[in-house]
Amino acid sequence: MSEVATEQRFHLTAEERAQFERDGFIGPFTAYSQDEMKEIWRRTRLRLLERSHAAYQDLDAISGATNIANYDRHLDDDFLADHICRAQICDRVQSILGPDVICWRTEFFPKYPGDEGTDWHQADTFANASGKPQIIWPEHEDFGGTITVWTAFTDVTIANGCLQFIPGTQNSMNYDETKRMEYSPEQVNAKEKNGVRRGFFGYDYRQLQIDENWEPDESKAVPIQMKAGQFVIFWSTLMHASYPHSGESEEMRMGFASRYVPSFVHVYPDSDHIEEYGGKISLENYGAVQVVGEHTPAYNRLVTHTTRGKRFERN
């Protein structure tokens, strides 16, 4: 097989691309076998307890701020570094975003027995929690968002809190990210919305609604159940949420989201820190990762991963 053919073996077909453009998501696809992923996660979850090389070291600043503590562990973990560059993922992302792509953030999304579901939401600039844009597309774009690749590190079901999508909602925003949400950690696991326990990590996403009386049409929602090792690709501007973890199983649900944009999208413009979810972290050790292509404007700081199995290093 030629090098070109090898590089493109997982690209979306014309039919898949049309489906993605219509629905705002595509998948699930398989990155690892179910048994392989379960063994990888068994080892990885223990290794991640060691944070001496993590990009964000100030545990006092991020204590209690679970989401920030889970950011960007691909910058210090070999498996996660390889995962975000995996051909099964990046070939398909390139089909959507073009020849030069960067991974600008990763996040773990654990859900433990009894945890609430996640609010219906959309993300454009990711200013939703901090009030400050974290990604900016060129001015001629009405809004941009990111491609999120959400990989199941455990089996993911309705009972343990799988994702939900409302197909076709990715092309118009129902939320205004220039508004501010009030951070209130006592809200976690404390509210029901339309009869379902939902929240947003201590925020109420409804505070960003353009029309305060609008409600998402949940009758059109589809659950995204996956086996460990599978992944789904979706626009962050797609209306998405998750179910609560019912507690029927004592096992946690774990998802890993890697976020991709064309390299010309400005990441963390004029920012030297992230402040959200009750925490604040410095971006001193941050860098995006070029996963497809070779061209990225100088305003986006990159890290490199030139040798398989080695940590990323800052340029």
Side-chain angles (χ1 to χ4, degrees):
M1 183 179 293
S2 71
E3 182 177 354
V4 172
T6 299
E7 289 177 352
Q8 297 180 351
R9 65 189 184 277
F10 298 112
H11 277 206
L12 296 179
T13 66
E15 293 78 11
E16 288 171 331
R17 181 61 192 272
Q19 179 183 340
F20 179 81
E21 291 297 325
R22 182 190 71 227
D23 295 339
F25 72 95
I26 188 78
F29 300 105
T30 298
Y32 314 89
S33 72
Q34 189 176 14
D35 289 342
E36 181 184 14
M37 185 72 254
K38 289 182 176 180
E39 177 59 23
I40 289 171
W41 176 232
R42 184 187 67 80
R43 299 193 308 266
T44 301
R45 67 186 299 181
L46 295 175
R47 192 170 61 246
L48 290 172
L49 296 174
E50 166 56 51
R51 294 187 58 90
S52 61
H53 295 292
Y56 312 125
Q57 287 291 323
D58 190 350
L59 292 181
D60 288 336
I62 63 178
S63 62
T66 302
N67 263 41
I68 295 182
N70 284 329
Y71 285 0
D72 298 335
R73 293 305 305 272
H74 66 282
L75 295 177
D76 70 280
D77 184 82
D78 290 345
F79 164 69
L80 298 177
D82 285 342
H83 172 76
I84 67 167
C85 302
R86 195 166 179 84
Q88 288 91 333
I89 292 172
C90 290
D91 282 4
R92 292 177 169 107
V93 171
Q94 183 182 14
S95 301
I96 301 165
L97 295 182
D100 294 290
V101 178
I102 57 177
C103 177
W104 70 277
R105 178 187 286 175
T106 64
E107 300 171 55
F108 279 103
F109 285 105
K111 198 177 291 291
Y112 296 91
D115 278 356
E116 65 188 4
T118 303
D119 278 350
W120 286 104
H121 64 287
Q122 297 168 294
D124 173 14
T125 67
F126 285 76
N128 45 17
S130 66
K132 186 173 184 178
Q134 296 180 2
I135 56 171
I136 295 182
W137 283 68
E139 291 184 358
H140 64 268
E141 301 284 353
D142 291 334
F143 59 91
T146 190
I147 289 293
T148 297
V149 175
W150 201 100
T151 304
F153 278 19
T154 64
D155 291 344
V156 177
T157 66
I158 292 175
N160 70 12
C162 73
L163 290 170
Q164 295 174 275
F165 296 148
I166 302 180
T169 55
Q170 70 276 12
N171 294 321
S172 61
M173 291 294 293
N174 299 294
Y175 304 93
D176 179 358
E177 291 180 324
T178 65
K179 295 182 177 181
R180 294 298 299 269
M181 293 188 290
E182 179 184 351
Y183 180 64
S184 181
E186 62 270 16
Q187 293 188 96
V188 175
N189 284 326
K191 285 194 172 184
E192 284 195 0
K193 299 168 184 178
N194 292 330
V196 180
R197 285 187 304 109
R198 292 195 194 277
F200 197 81
F201 313 105
Y203 295 98
D204 186 337
Y205 216 92
R206 294 174 300 184
Q207 293 177 348
L208 299 186
Q209 288 183 193
I210 295 171
D211 176 359
E212 64 180 16
N213 296 315
W214 171 83
E215 292 184 1
D217 186 355
E218 297 192 45
S219 69
K220 297 180 179 178
V222 296
I224 308 298
Q225 301 189 86
M226 293 186 282
K227 298 295 186 182
Q230 293 187 310
F231 64 94
V232 64
I233 302 171
F234 65 97
W235 276 118
S236 62
T237 56
L238 180 72
M239 287 291 297
H240 57 290
S242 69
Y243 290 95
H245 192 310
S246 68
E248 293 177 14
S249 166
E250 295 183 357
E251 296 295 321
M252 70 181 302
R253 180 221 77 179
M254 179 58 79
F256 182 75
S258 44
R259 305 190 187 278
Y260 301 89
V261 291
S263 63
F264 57 74
V265 171
H266 198 168
V267 178
Y268 294 125
D270 304 316
S271 298
D272 61 7
H273 69 277
I274 305 172
E275 187 170 359
E276 58 191 24
Y277 304 114
K280 179 178 179 178
I281 53 175
S282 169
L283 292 170
E284 178 183 2
N285 294 320
Y286 171 80
V289 178
Q290 182 114 35
V291 297
V292 178
E294 299 178 352
H295 304 290
T296 293
Y299 51 72
N300 283 331
R301 181 169 53 165
L302 296 179
V303 292
T304 58
H305 185 214
T306 55
T307 304
R308 187 175 181 83
K310 299 296 183 183
R311 291 176 55 239
F312 287 106
E313 297 179 354
R314 283 175 288 161
N315 287 350

